[in-house]
Amino acid sequence: MTKQLRDLPENADLRRADSLAREIFSDVANKWALLIIEALGERTLRFSELRDEVEGVSHKMLTQNLRMLERYGLVDRTVHPTVPPKVEYTLTEPGRALRATVDLLCGWTHRYLGHIEAARDRFDGTPDA
């Protein structure tokens, strides 16, 4: 084990089941949260706009993930006192920092999509087309 990992406080050690870092990692590293972060980018969007941007997300999953991201301070939720209320979401500074990592993951996915697709076909026994 490297000295850097040994010197981590218990709540920052991803390897520990009871660490806060693992809880945060588990919550934030899910497909809906990552797609929401990517969709928000540098923009401010309303709930319905986010739902349109993140194809396939249910109302319930979008609500749950937005609440979680807000709880962790990654998304700001602004309610405008109109009838009906206008609610907007935007990334905070830590959310924008995380987006840089999400962008790298998206780039990696695009770069290796063909390789992964071919490997899956080989693994699943699908003949080459």
Side-chain angles (χ1 to χ4, degrees), residues 10-125:
E10 288 182 5
N11 67 347
D13 188 346
L14 283 171
R15 295 166 302 155
R16 292 181 55 96
D18 62 346
S19 75
L20 177 59
R22 185 181 285 192
E23 179 184 341
I24 294 166
F25 185 80
S26 175
D27 286 346
V28 172
N30 79 70
K31 73 176 176 183
W32 297 124
L34 296 176
L35 291 170
I36 290 165
I37 289 166
E38 182 64 20
L40 279 171
E42 299 296 323
R43 305 179 291 171
T44 297
L45 296 174
R46 296 181 69 175
F47 186 91
S48 60
E49 293 171 323
L50 260 173
R51 192 178 55 228
D52 291 344
E53 287 285 323
V54 183
E55 191 173 312
V57 68
S58 69
H59 186 279
K60 178 182 176 181
M61 290 308 298
L62 183 55
T63 299
Q64 287 177 348
N65 278 274
L66 284 168
R67 286 181 181 159
M68 178 269 299
L69 292 168
E70 184 182 8
R71 179 174 182 242
Y72 286 139
L74 302 174
V75 168
D76 275 334
R77 178 179 180 263
T78 303
V79 180
H80 299 280
T82 59
V83 178
K86 179 180 175 184
V87 182
E88 296 178 322
Y89 299 90
T90 189
L91 293 177
T92 62
E93 189 279 322
R96 288 189 302 275
L98 178 56
R99 182 173 175 255
T101 300
V102 173
D103 285 347
L104 290 171
L105 184 57
C106 290
W108 174 88
T109 303
H110 293 136
R111 181 175 181 183
Y112 292 104
L113 189 64
H115 170 86
I116 293 167
E117 187 176 33
R120 285 173 46 163
D121 288 347
R122 283 191 308 274
F123 186 86
D124 295 340

